[in-house]
Amino acid sequence: TTSQHKTTTATHYNPHKQKHRTMKRIMGTSRQSKSKTTAFKTRWPLNRSIKPVAGSQNNRGEGSHELSPFKQAVLSNVIELNNRAVSIYKKGDYGRASHLFQEASERQRAADGLISRIGLGVSPPPTTSYMYQRGDFDEGMHAFSGACRAHPYDPPNVVAATILFNNGQALRRMDDYNGAADCYERALDLVKPKTRRLLTLLPEIIVPILHNLGQLCYRRGQVNEAITKYYSMALSVCRRLYGEDSLFFATTLNSLGVLYYHLSSDAADQAMEHFSVALRIRRRLLGWDHPDVATTLNNIGRILVQRDEFDEALLYYNESLRLRQAKLGKNSLDYAATAFNAGQCYHQKGDSEKALKLYGEFLRVAKVKFSRNHRDVALVLSGMAQIHQDRKEYEMALELYEESLCVGKAALGEHHPEVAMLLNRIGNFYFEREDLNRAFDAYAAGLQIERAVLDNHHPNIIVTLCNIGEIHRQRQEWDAAISVYDEALQLQKEKLGTRSADVASTLNAMGLIFDQKGDSSNAIKYLKEALWIRRKCHGDKHQEVSATLTYLGTIYYRRSMLSPAVSSFSESLTIRRDILGNNHRDVAFTLYNLGLCHQLQGDIDEAIDCFNETLEIEKTVLGEDHRDVSMTLYKLGEAHKTKGDLELALENFLASIEIDRNLADRCDPGTLARTLNEIGNIYLEKGDVIPMMDAFNEAARILRNAGLSPSNLIVSGQLYAIDVSCPEAAPAA
């Protein structure tokens, strides 16, 4: 009975389907979205100092007052020292520049007791640990990466804030992010308004201070804090100082868009709104062919990818790519980053040739700009490996995966989340190749790293656990599979709650494993819980609901619980017709199983109607010579035989055996013998001896060749000896 069921296309969890998620995670972003690609980061090319608005009173800052001649002379000396340090900073000598900025600050502190409490102090040693956001591709957020000159009309607190800011810039260039953050915070404390009355006295230096503090939050992965604490204030300041049609306002909008993009897929609309306004302002003020316009185009493309709108995303990426090639050259990192983004779009669309070409462009630039052992080189090698895997070019795919892993380990060390993700993708490769031992080893190695470096409830750990559970299932290690899936289930419930779609998917997988184990009671229990959650999450008319109903119907059928089986299959069929239309393989699959139920219930006419409709769909979708077509023809033959319509029964059995003979190298010998047995019995009932004997003899020969006993054949009726009279002296037959 079990062998009569046809397999559906997505019965069990497939770890290979996690491949696009893993690419996002390799990129180092913390965004959790449905599955698509993480885009590369773009770099703002400007190194802009803040210039005062001529005649603006706002530049004087709060606390402006008349200075004594002595203090005025010291202030002039401090300004001159700061500006000399700015020139040195621009030449790239950040250590010497930092020393001069500190000296300027100390001179001013000594002369002015007002700010004696503000000292540079001793910053902690430079940090070399990985930060969330890399400077190579900053998505247009490094607009204020230069040092600022001070001016004679700046009040003392603004001069002090400028020097602190500049020293922060120098320390940041030397990778001392903690020291830089300390300088920026103290600079902000000097110039931010203490009351609403002083909002009209905002100095312009506050804008780059807020931007850089926000960037450091972003680098640490503190996206929400970057938005609420720094960039939102920066937007208000830019609106007050420059207006809503200024480049500074557009720059801040672009930065907020980037942050909303990384915050959550739910914030995509906010990100798009900010990017769209920034693009309009930049095009109006800078023209349509400016590099900053290309940056925002690239960022909009990433939002569209997040929405799975790949064709629309390519319009933006290709325009950005054209601008970056024209303005920055084909050897720039920004050009390479957009090439990679566009490559991922083509990859998602299935255009592997264009994807490989664009991945190759990124790799060409990256190998020159970076060392060979760079994290992004590892990422692109892995993406190229995936394309070769999709093409079934397994040797090339494996070579690239192994190279990617070596590069990733050299760049990041043995224990890094991105190394774990590379291992996960290699596990997917071996899983597809049905090399379960190597797949298991890769997943287990990745899980060990993830447990060491990630939060216990991190989604990467859950995905890897499910992959390992699937390996145990494939090995028929049912208890081990259930144990691993149950661990993943508990993590999902703790992180997402008990009614999430992911929890339902894991419950569904566990139900199927219990079914394979032979524990149909637990299988039904888990599948019913999964069905209840899926109805709550998706509503009654959803493919996930239909899938679980089909699994339940199959188990009910095998337990001869035909009424609930018919009910489950019928509801699943209605959903699939509504969503997929009539001519779809899943519709045929459900109709076939519904026909089996009617057949066992004795509703032969209902069964024949289901089988006929199944046959029509399968011939349309799969072709005339598919194994599923043969199975349906066989069941039609059975149903017509039960009704006593031997001619129609024989017609269907003969059509079934013809397909099976054409598929002999892929067809089970027992199946061939079974159909021939039915054909022989019909000829027997009709009294057609010669075709009857031909059918039985062929069936017996097939069974003997397969090492099976011909006694498995069943003769439905009585065979009688037949005397053949021969003339005298005639040769014996």
Side-chain angles (χ1 to χ4, degrees):
T1 301
T2 304
S3 65
Q4 293 173 351
H5 277 273
K6 298 176 182 177
T7 57
T8 188
T9 53
T11 303
H12 290 289
Y13 182 89
N14 183 354
H16 183 60
K17 292 185 179 180
Q18 300 297 319
K19 57 192 176 185
H20 301 305
R21 278 176 65 188
T22 60
M23 179 169 285
K24 290 177 184 175
R25 289 156 59 185
I26 291 171
M27 292 298 298
T29 72
S30 63
R31 234 178 359 105
Q32 299 303 320
S33 65
K34 52 185 178 181
S35 127
K36 300 307 165 198
T37 55
T38 295
F40 255 70
K41 288 113 179 137
T42 61
R43 181 170 52 88
W44 184 289
L46 300 183
N47 183 11
R48 179 184 291 138
S49 296
I50 302 300
K51 298 180 180 179
V53 180
S56 171
Q57 294 301 310
N58 291 343
N59 293 296
R60 300 197 179 280
E62 61 176 293
S64 179
H65 58 277
E66 295 297 327
L67 300 177
S68 68
F70 170 74
K71 288 187 178 180
Q72 186 64 59
V74 172
L75 188 61
S76 297
N77 179 264
V78 166
I79 290 171
E80 187 277 330
L81 192 57
N82 174 81
N83 294 346
R84 180 149 51 93
V86 169
S87 299
I88 293 170
Y89 176 95
K90 289 179 178 178
K91 293 177 182 178
D93 190 348
Y94 305 118
R96 186 171 168 223
S98 177
H99 176 77
L100 290 176
F101 289 136
Q102 292 189 54
E103 183 181 342
S105 182
E106 288 166 2
R107 290 188 186 184
Q108 187 178 17
R109 183 178 56 191
D112 193 346
L114 175 67
I115 59 168
S116 61
R117 60 188 174 86
I118 305 295
L120 289 173
V122 179
S123 64
T127 174
T128 56
S129 62
Y130 168 63
M131 305 290 276
Y132 170 79
Q133 167 63 23
R134 308 197 294 282
D136 302 322
F137 313 100
D138 65 36
E139 306 150 297
M141 296 185 71
H142 282 191
F144 305 101
S145 58
C148 298
R149 297 178 66 85
H151 303 279
Y153 48 76
D154 289 336
N157 67 312
V158 174
V159 173
T162 301
I163 295 169
L164 280 165
F165 170 76
N166 288 344
N167 195 50
Q169 297 288 73
L171 292 171
R172 185 171 175 180
R173 290 281 188 168
M174 295 186 288
D175 293 335
D176 184 356
Y177 296 104
N178 292 335
D182 184 57
C183 287
Y184 296 148
E185 285 287 3
R186 288 190 248 181
L188 181 63
D189 188 60
L190 282 169
V191 294
K192 68 181 179 182
K194 303 298 189 294
T195 66
R196 291 184 61 84
R197 181 179 63 82
L198 295 173
L199 284 174
T200 57
L201 301 175
L202 291 169
E204 291 181 336
I205 190 66
I206 195 173
V207 176
I209 292 171
L210 289 167
H211 267 260
N212 279 274
L213 279 167
Q215 287 165 25
L216 291 183
C217 272
Y218 175 37
R219 287 178 62 87
R220 294 190 295 268
Q222 298 165 342
V223 178
N224 194 57
E225 182 178 347
I227 293 172
T228 58
K229 191 172 180 181
Y230 299 114
Y231 279 103
S232 293
M233 185 191 297
L235 191 68
S236 297
V237 172
C238 287
R239 182 182 287 113
R240 181 174 294 275
L241 288 178
Y242 309 110
E244 293 190 353
D245 285 328
S246 68
L247 287 178
F248 290 151
F249 193 76
T251 298
T252 309
L253 283 171
N254 182 82
S255 297
L256 279 165
V258 170
L259 293 168
Y260 281 120
Y261 165 76
H262 284 295
L263 181 65
S264 164
S265 58
D266 295 334
D269 289 343
Q270 289 171 282
M272 181 64 86
E273 181 182 347
H274 284 78
F275 286 142
S276 298
V277 177
L279 181 64
R280 176 182 59 78
I281 296 170
R282 284 177 164 175
R283 278 176 165 169
R284 186 176 64 80
L285 297 178
L286 300 173
W288 285 56
D289 291 338
H290 194 276
D292 294 356
V293 171
T295 296
T296 306
L297 288 167
N298 184 77
N299 287 338
I300 290 174
R302 298 191 306 165
I303 296 295
L304 294 167
V305 166
Q306 196 177 50
R307 295 173 172 175
D308 294 343
E309 298 173 13
F310 300 114
D311 290 327
E312 188 75 10
L314 280 170
L315 295 176
Y316 284 88
Y317 280 147
N318 287 331
E319 177 64 11
S320 178
L321 198 63
R322 181 190 69 79
L323 290 177
R324 287 181 159 176
Q325 179 177 340
K327 298 298 181 180
L328 306 174
K330 294 184 71 172
N331 293 324
S332 77
L333 282 174
D334 290 342
Y335 166 82
T338 304
F340 180 84
N341 291 343
Q344 283 196 318
C345 263
Y346 283 118
H347 192 170
Q348 292 280 356
K349 284 167 57 66
D351 192 336
S352 59
E353 286 299 329
K354 287 182 179 176
L356 277 177
K357 180 180 178 182
L358 289 164
Y359 285 161
E361 278 292 275
F362 176 83
L363 203 58
R364 174 185 62 79
V365 177
K367 286 180 177 178
V368 173
K369 299 290 185 179
F370 305 138
S371 69
R372 172 74 180 175
N373 294 328
H374 191 278
R375 66 194 313 156
D376 293 330
V377 172
L379 170 66
V380 178
L381 287 169
S382 180
M384 296 172 78
Q386 184 186 326
I387 289 178
H388 288 291
Q389 180 181 341
D390 292 342
R391 290 174 162 184
K392 312 301 180 187
E393 298 165 355
Y394 293 116
E395 257 185 65
M396 176 61 73
L398 183 57
E399 182 181 329
L400 288 168
Y401 277 133
E402 289 176 342
E403 184 181 358
S404 170
L405 183 61
C406 288
V407 171
K409 286 181 175 180
L412 302 166
E414 296 279 340
H415 292 86
H416 192 281
E418 294 183 15
V419 172
M421 285 314 307
L422 290 171
L423 285 164
N424 194 54
R425 299 188 75 187
I426 290 172
N428 292 346
F429 170 82
Y430 282 123
F431 182 86
E432 182 177 320
R433 299 290 290 147
E434 299 182 359
D435 189 340
L436 299 184
N437 291 334
R438 283 195 172 97
F440 183 88
D441 290 344
Y443 290 142
L447 182 63
Q448 184 179 7
I449 295 170
E450 288 169 342
R451 288 193 192 278
V453 300
L454 297 175
D455 176 76
N456 289 338
H457 299 87
H458 197 282
N460 294 19
I461 292 176
I462 295 170
V463 168
T464 308
L465 282 169
C466 290
N467 290 346
I468 291 173
E470 178 63 15
I471 296 291
H472 286 303
R473 188 194 70 80
Q474 295 274 349
R475 291 172 171 174
Q476 299 185 9
E477 299 164 352
W478 311 124
D479 290 337
I482 290 167
S483 176
V484 173
Y485 269 115
D486 188 61
E487 183 180 355
L489 179 66
Q490 300 313 313
L491 293 176
Q492 287 174 323
K493 286 182 175 180
E494 291 169 15
K495 183 176 179 63
L496 305 170
T498 58
R499 298 186 180 184
S500 79
D502 287 346
V503 167
S505 294
T506 305
L507 285 166
N508 197 84
M510 292 178 72
L512 298 178
I513 295 170
F514 277 116
D515 179 43
Q516 289 182 296
K517 184 184 177 184
D519 186 349
S520 57
S521 295
N522 266 320
I524 291 172
K525 172 187 171 184
Y526 277 80
L527 288 170
K528 279 186 171 180
E529 188 177 353
L531 180 63
W532 183 83
I533 296 172
R534 283 179 164 175
R535 289 189 193 276
K536 293 292 183 183
C537 290
H538 306 301
D540 290 332
K541 302 294 185 180
H542 192 276
Q543 287 197 69
E544 298 291 342
V545 172
S546 170
T548 305
L549 283 166
T550 299
Y551 300 142
L552 277 168
T554 302
I555 297 172
Y556 289 138
Y557 171 83
R558 287 204 304 270
R559 293 185 66 177
S560 298
M561 300 166 64
L562 297 180
S563 292
V566 168
S567 175
S568 296
F569 285 135
S570 296
E571 185 180 355
S572 175
L573 179 63
T574 300
I575 296 169
R576 287 180 169 177
R577 285 192 198 276
D578 288 345
I579 295 173
L580 304 173
N582 284 327
N583 288 326
H584 193 280
R585 190 176 184 181
D586 287 352
V587 171
F589 169 82
T590 311
L591 273 165
Y592 176 88
N593 288 338
L594 187 58
L596 292 180
C597 294
H598 288 308
Q599 188 178 20
L600 276 185
Q601 285 180 319
D603 299 330
I604 303 303
D605 289 333
E606 291 281 350
I608 289 173
D609 288 343
C610 287
F611 292 143
N612 275 325
E613 190 174 353
T614 300
L615 187 65
E616 183 180 346
I617 296 170
E618 286 175 339
K619 285 182 176 180
T620 301
V621 175
L622 303 174
E624 300 275 345
D625 295 324
H626 194 274
R627 173 73 187 123
D628 282 5
V629 173
S630 171
M631 291 175 67
T632 305
L633 286 165
Y634 179 86
K635 298 308 292 183
L636 268 171
E638 275 190 341
H640 285 297
K641 182 183 175 185
T642 301
K643 282 189 70 175
D645 192 338
L646 298 184
E647 290 300 327
L648 276 176
L650 182 60
E651 179 184 329
N652 283 288
F653 283 136
L654 288 172
S656 175
I657 198 66
E658 185 65 26
I659 295 171
D660 287 344
R661 281 173 175 150
N662 292 334
L663 302 172
D665 56 334
R666 290 170 282 167
C667 188
D668 172 48
T671 300
L672 283 167
R674 182 193 63 182
T675 309
L676 286 164
N677 194 161
E678 291 287 357
I679 291 169
N681 281 323
I682 289 178
Y683 280 126
L684 173 60
E685 287 192 47
K686 293 176 65 176
D688 292 341
V689 177
I690 293 177
M692 173 198 73
M693 294 304 299
D694 287 343
F696 283 139
N697 283 334
E698 185 181 354
R701 177 180 57 79
I702 289 171
L703 290 173
R704 279 194 298 269
N705 289 342
L708 302 173
S709 172
S711 62
N712 290 322
L713 295 175
I714 298 173
V715 178
S716 301
Q718 183 67 45
L719 287 175
Y720 297 96
I722 301 175
D723 291 328
V724 179
S725 300
C726 298
E728 211 173 296

